[in-house]
Amino acid sequence: MAELDAEERDNLDRKQFAFPKQRKEPLEDAGHVRSAIGRFNQVKGVTDEERDEAWERIKAAARRHDVEVSVDDWRELGND
């Protein structure tokens, strides 16, 4: 996963984040998608509706970057 500095992060389009309003969890490569999945439940200050939308964006990014997602719904994360 490429480390993003502040300028690179600021230059990303909102659509490249799982949580675009908050600009949290970038999704521009496979490493960032894996990180977004792993840190998903740590994101604060978002509604369940925003989590639903973010999860759909993460799943779409996972397909684009060939990342396997083992759960269908974010509510299943950590319930293995």
Side-chain angles (χ1 to χ4, degrees):
M1 172 174 69
E3 190 81 21
L4 291 175
D5 64 27
E7 183 179 350
E8 291 170 324
R9 187 179 180 89
D10 289 345
N11 287 331
L12 288 176
D13 188 281
R14 283 182 174 243
K15 294 182 286 188
Q16 291 180 276
F17 290 89
F19 297 91
K21 180 179 172 186
Q22 298 82 5
R23 297 184 66 82
K24 293 182 180 178
E25 304 304 331
L27 302 170
E28 79 280 354
D29 61 30
H32 280 100
V33 172
R34 288 184 195 97
S35 178
I37 293 168
R39 297 167 38 125
F40 192 85
N41 287 330
Q42 297 172 15
V43 175
K44 304 278 189 225
V46 295
T47 66
D48 281 355
E49 182 179 348
E50 288 171 315
R51 286 189 187 281
D52 289 337
E53 293 168 357
W55 190 247
E56 291 304 314
R57 282 189 283 281
I58 288 172
K59 290 192 306 185
R63 286 189 295 275
R64 278 194 309 278
H65 298 294
D66 295 319
V67 173
E68 186 174 330
V69 179
S70 61
V71 298
D72 290 324
D73 189 301
W74 63 267
R75 292 164 184 86
E76 299 172 21
L77 291 173
N79 296 334
D80 296 344

